[in-house]
Amino acid sequence: MEGVAFPSSMQSWIESLPDDLLQVVSIISESGGGVWVVGGSVRQGLSEVVPHDYDLTTNLRPEQVMDLFGSSNSIDVGAKYGTVIVRVRPDGDLYEITTLRCDQEYLDGRRPESVIFGDSLLEDLERRDLTINAMAVDLARQLLYDPFNGYQDLQNGVLRAVGNASTRLSEDGLRVMRAYRLMDQGDAGLWSPEDDLASALRDCQYMLKNVSIERIWQEFRRILAGQNAAQVLEKMSEDGVLSTIFGGHEYDLTGQARLADISSDEVVEARLAMMFRADDASGLMKRLTMPKVVITGVQELNRCLSHLPNATSVSELRLYRAVLGSRLNQQLACESALATSEVEEVITLLASLPANVAGDAPLADGHWIAEMTGLSKGIKLGRLKEWLHRIQIEEDLPTLAEVEARLKQLEWQDGEPTEWPRFYWP
Ligand code: ATP
Ligand code: MG
């Protein structure tokens, strides 16, 4: 296989390579081994995107790599599959180095039964999923290896399988998810699969049943967090992949394209909440091995969804803001995306509403209330604390003295505490 000189678009990537990586490469080269940067970082380098990690491949066997870096600077994370993690110094950056391989049969539709280590870079590139992921860079000789014209596909924004698309997808269902994830190229927009891959994606989704649910969720999470997630979801929906992943559970993509820019953790929950707003999808989310925080986040968003404060009531606006706390922006982003009635008015009002003078935390704690009322720990004290907190927020009480004055007006001695107002929304 012939390499070509680096295209000029790679220059800034080459110049920005971390020192630690260059050292890893020279340690292997000086020992006589071959080493290439492969995979996503080459793809990103050629698209002038800064990579978040670098995958390396070598013709050395895993034991040789470990000998070279020594036991304190190398970890065997999957020597069976040829993968070792190395660093050049304590606390240095970690790099995954995988020995060149030619994969064996795909028996369970996921991992090859065994891997055979090889000496051929071409064979190693042949087993990769997409042409844009099947390029290798030899830093020592300044050569790019691109046997499947991945660079051309990259320039045209096309996703193409290495080899026959349906064969490749039916070897490994994870490639279905990876293909949808890679359609989203951030600032470069939505890339399309070429025709063969497009139809293989529709025909081979039965393969997803062979993929571990954790891996599906990992890829799906990245899809949801992507810059062009709405379009990818639309495509997955058209192709029937969303139904497959959700096991037939109902979903609705309304509003996805209008969701504002919020942090990536927030956006994942927001997209799920909007998708599953019609009914409780907790069971499905659990089955998809989503972390508990994500599931709770989605449930919280859905609990409040479409329940906006009354725009004419300052006290409601204050309560809404205080109860939602750090989730306020995320909630409003969903409401706005779904065009809940009066949402823009509420957003404007909240933006100009001064912060509460005493902040949003309760001024009156349990000890103080116990002292003032003689109540001992229990439901009555707990609910009275919530009631006072709510009044403090709604009326913007500035001091504990004001809270005390309001406490004197409450008929807390009598009545059913479970009926008292709570610090709660809606
Ligand atoms: P990113 O690092 O952004 O997730 P990536 O493409 O580098 O993207 P990795 O999981 O790091 O993804 O995989 C590194 C490379 O290994 C890929 O670029 C691809 O060449 C190959 N690869 C990964 N998973 C598969 C797979 N399921 N089938 C075939 N090749 C794969
Ligand atoms: Mg990678």
Side-chain angles (χ1 to χ4, degrees), residues 295-355:
I295 299 178
T296 316
V298 172
Q299 288 167 334
E300 284 292 289
L301 283 167
N302 270 337
R303 191 172 60 73
C304 297
L305 215 52
S306 306
H307 297 286
L308 284 175
N310 185 335
T312 60
S313 160
V314 178
S315 61
E316 273 195 26
L317 288 165
R318 287 190 188 123
L319 181 65
Y320 182 73
R321 177 177 66 186
V323 172
L324 286 163
S326 61
R327 294 188 294 107
L328 181 66
N329 261 336
Q330 188 191 27
Q331 187 77 43
L332 289 173
C334 291
E335 304 289 6
S336 190
L338 291 166
T340 306
S341 104
E342 300 198 348
V343 61
E344 296 312 324
E345 198 180 347
V346 167
I347 290 176
T348 312
L349 287 166
L350 284 169
S352 60
L353 185 69

Side-chain angles (χ1 to χ4, degrees), residues 39-40 43-44 52-53 55 110 127-129 133 172 174-175 178 181 222:
R43 179 186 79 227
Q44 288 166 325
H52 53 85
D53 67 356
D55 303 297
R110 174 64 191 96
R127 70 178 176 86
R128 294 172 184 271
D129 55 353
N133 288 337
D172 177 1
L174 185 64
R175 292 174 187 157
R178 287 180 52 89
R181 193 226 316 156
R222 294 182 68 178

